[in-house]
Amino acid sequence: MKQLVLGALIATGAVVHAQLPVPALYDEWRRITLDGVVTRVEWANPRAYVFVDVREASGVVNWAVEIGNPLDLEQRGWSPTTVRTGDSVSVEAVPARDSAKRALVSTFWTTRPRARVFSGNATAKAAPTVAGAAPRWPDGQVRLGPPAGRKGYWGVSSLTAMIENGSKASLRADGLLTNLSDADRVAPFQPWAKAVYLHRQRTLLKDDPAARCLPTGGPRQFHTPNGFQFVEQRDLGRILVLFGGGNRNWRIIYTDGRPLGQAAEAVPSYYGSSVGRWDKDTLVVQSVGYNERFWMTAGGLPHTEALRLEERFSRPDLNTLRYEVTVDDSRTYTRPWRSAWTVRWVPDREIEEFFCEENVESTFIR
Amino acid sequence: MRTRTFVLAAVFVVLTASARTQEGHPLTGTWAGDWGAAGAPRTHITMVMEWDGKAVTGVINPGPDAISLTAVSVDWGTWTVRIEGKGITAEGRLEDIGSYHRRIAGTWNQGGARGEFTLTRE
């Protein structure tokens, strides 16, 4: 019997890319076992499925077993042909909260042939990293992208949901608070903002706009699962930030000395209007002009169009990006507050193709 | 063919609706609905509200006969909204908070008359 253990998908939040968030879809406190035959493998972003015919008292029922994001699965050694139509399988899974014949895999076994693919809490194969100093341009300025002639992008972040620096509150990777009474420790909310935040937490993030493939604006850009890349167009006075998740969106940070302008003058957008300047080895970016159509982090922190961000990007070494953001939105928070995290460099690889709604024709969308 | 066209249209409507979001202060926006006593004709209401960081301001029926809102308060524990304007008081519950088209439903008092009202965010 071969065993495929896909790790603690819920705990890592690895599949929280788009469409209804995992906590809102699946009842984490229940487990079921499905024994049956594979009828189809649907290998599409953001979530891949194996469909299994299971004989139940009422007859044969076709279950959809969510196995994770294809990019994550490929890094864990799974391919679209690892499980094939006709394979006999046994699946331990977390069932849907509703009556849908849908479940999230926790352990996946094929019963014939008896060959192990991988087991245990399998983790993605980390690309080998070589220590080194931050790369620099010929004039000595730090490069935020790959070293000259090399490939690479920014991948896993140390924080996947924002929280004020120094807070002791415990947040899960998907942004849910371990204890709702800790809400005041997440950020200095105005009363309405705390109520909205708690509502989103209590409803298990089901209304997250990112789950409907809307852009992840604000700081959330820098802790999404599929990474990002800086393209520094120094001759044009701008830096492009290319995102690997969502719909492969991009953001422009102007470094040509133009003024930031006023929030009221901007047409509100998901990524706002940004200008940046270098302060020694730190890129300091000021942004205004955000719309109110997105959550600026997993977990559901609200904001208004008054939001102003100051982001500071630095690269202390080749493999580390330090990101620090000051959130200033007096209509939502009682004072400006900061959050910070680091992001790891993925060397010698390009961002993989990912489209949020690739499975738009899947069973659960059409 | 007709069925397929209908299904495609329905999917389009669903996708279009689901792509609209407003995630800031839950009262911000334009609301439309009506009020009236049971069995009596309904009176249309358009209400525009905005959060400035300290208070919700706004008007009922924008235009030459607009009525400015004098006070808007919310009990965030119960999502109860109280709205006051010249000669008008209304109290209702905010529902379906996560939706772009969230609603307020409750009791409307105007000029000595009392009725029920509903408002849906547009």
Side-chain angles (χ1 to χ4, degrees):
Chain A
M1 180 177 286
K2 67 182 175 183
Q3 180 183 6
L4 303 177
V5 179
L6 296 180
L9 289 174
I10 293 173
T12 63
V15 292
V16 186
H17 290 286
Q19 302 173 35
L20 267 183
V22 165
L25 269 179
Y26 300 104
D27 184 349
E28 301 172 37
W29 299 101
R30 296 169 54 212
R31 291 288 186 278
I32 56 173
T33 300
L34 304 170
D35 295 314
V37 176
V38 173
T39 62
R40 183 161 61 100
V41 176
E42 187 174 277
W43 197 261
N45 283 308
R47 295 167 174 176
Y49 291 89
V50 175
F51 291 83
V52 181
D53 267 353
V54 178
R55 187 171 298 281
E56 298 182 356
S58 59
V60 174
V61 176
N62 192 237
W63 278 78
V65 179
E66 180 177 334
I67 57 174
N69 171 254
L71 302 185
D72 296 333
L73 291 169
E74 287 161 16
Q75 291 184 28
R76 287 170 164 80
W78 185 304
S79 79
T81 57
T82 300
V83 175
R84 300 170 186 269
T85 299
D87 282 355
S88 294
V89 298
S90 180
V91 183
E92 292 173 15
V94 181
R97 290 184 177 277
D98 58 18
S99 59
K101 299 298 182 183
R102 176 179 191 176
L104 175 67
V105 70
S106 54
T107 309
F108 199 113
W109 313 68
T110 59
T111 53
R112 288 187 300 272
R114 301 171 72 87
R116 168 171 282 186
V117 176
F118 60 80
S119 63
N121 287 318
T123 55
K125 296 173 190 168
T129 56
V130 177
R136 293 180 182 270
W137 293 96
D139 63 4
Q141 184 185 293
V142 167
R143 295 175 69 122
L144 295 176
R150 304 284 296 276
K151 293 187 293 186
Y153 65 94
W154 295 104
V156 177
S157 59
S158 62
L159 197 67
T160 54
M162 272 174 77
I163 189 168
E164 185 168 25
N165 283 350
S167 170
K168 302 294 183 190
S170 172
L171 278 179
R172 298 175 7 153
D174 55 20
L176 286 175
L177 271 168
T178 305
N179 187 342
L180 283 180
S181 64
D182 282 340
D184 283 323
R185 295 180 172 183
V186 175
F189 295 109
Q190 285 215 26
W192 76 266
K194 180 181 175 183
V196 167
Y197 177 72
L198 284 172
H199 172 78
R200 292 171 180 173
Q201 291 275 319
R202 290 192 178 107
T203 53
L204 303 173
L205 317 177
K206 73 176 179 61
D207 296 316
D208 188 350
R212 283 166 278 162
C213 294
L214 291 173
T216 51
R220 195 170 183 176
Q221 303 155 42
F222 302 109
H223 55 206
T224 51
N226 295 321
F228 57 93
Q229 178 62 288
F230 293 99
V231 178
E232 294 172 83
Q233 297 181 313
R234 304 180 87 198
D235 55 329
L236 298 177
R238 65 187 190 183
I239 298 172
L240 307 182
V241 189
L242 312 181
F243 302 111
N247 287 311
R248 294 169 75 82
N249 300 337
W250 72 90
R251 168 190 174 191
I252 303 175
I253 299 169
Y254 290 101
T255 55
D256 57 2
R258 70 180 64 187
L260 176 60
Q262 298 298 315
E265 298 169 352
V267 176
S269 61
Y270 290 95
Y271 295 116
S273 302
S274 300
V275 298
R277 62 177 173 78
W278 284 93
D279 177 8
K280 298 180 180 174
D281 283 348
T282 300
L283 176 66
V284 182
V285 178
Q286 306 281 344
S287 301
V288 295
Y290 292 99
N291 67 32
E292 297 181 1
R293 297 180 178 179
F294 62 94
W295 294 2
M296 64 176 171
T297 182
L301 289 178
H303 68 275
T304 68
E305 289 182 0
L307 177 66
R308 299 176 66 97
L309 296 179
E310 180 180 281
E311 298 164 290
R312 302 177 71 87
F313 301 87
S314 58
R315 190 174 192 173
D317 59 55
L318 171 65
N319 297 310
T320 307
L321 180 75
R322 188 182 305 279
Y323 176 76
E324 181 173 15
V325 60
T326 302
V327 176
D328 185 355
D329 178 358
S330 61
R331 296 183 190 174
T332 308
Y333 301 99
T334 57
R335 55 176 169 76
W337 58 281
R338 290 181 179 176
S339 186
W341 56 91
T342 58
V343 188
R344 294 291 294 170
W345 181 247
V346 180
D348 304 322
R349 294 176 60 171
E350 300 286 12
I351 292 176
E352 294 183 72
E353 185 172 282
F354 176 94
F355 289 99
C356 180
E357 282 284 19
E358 190 181 27
N359 68 349
V360 70
E361 296 296 330
S362 81
T363 304
F364 303 107
I365 304 297
R366 68 173 180 242
Chain B
M1 182 64 184
R2 185 174 294 174
T3 303
R4 184 170 182 175
T5 303
F6 174 79
V7 169
L8 287 173
V11 167
F12 176 78
V13 168
V14 168
L15 290 177
T16 303
S18 66
R20 298 171 70 188
T21 60
Q22 190 274 331
E23 308 293 335
H25 191 285
L27 294 186
T28 295
T30 298
W31 302 70
D34 56 26
W35 78 277
R42 310 288 292 178
T43 302
H44 179 81
I45 311 165
T46 296
M47 191 179 301
V48 180
M49 290 188 277
E50 186 175 355
W51 169 246
D52 66 7
K54 294 179 180 172
V56 174
T57 58
V59 295
I60 299 171
N61 297 336
D65 299 321
I67 301 170
S68 295
L69 300 180
T70 53
V72 178
S73 60
V74 184
D75 180 333
W76 298 109
T78 60
W79 299 99
T80 301
V81 184
R82 183 173 172 82
I83 299 166
E84 296 178 30
K86 187 177 181 182
I88 296 173
T89 60
E91 187 169 292
R93 191 160 188 274
L94 191 58
E95 300 169 347
D96 202 7
I97 298 149
S99 167
Y100 183 90
H101 299 295
R102 59 189 73 104
R103 297 183 306 279
I104 307 173
T107 304
W108 187 278
N109 296 281
Q110 183 170 356
R114 178 185 173 91
E116 303 300 310
F117 81 96
T118 59
L119 288 169
T120 303
R121 191 179 181 285
E122 295 195 312

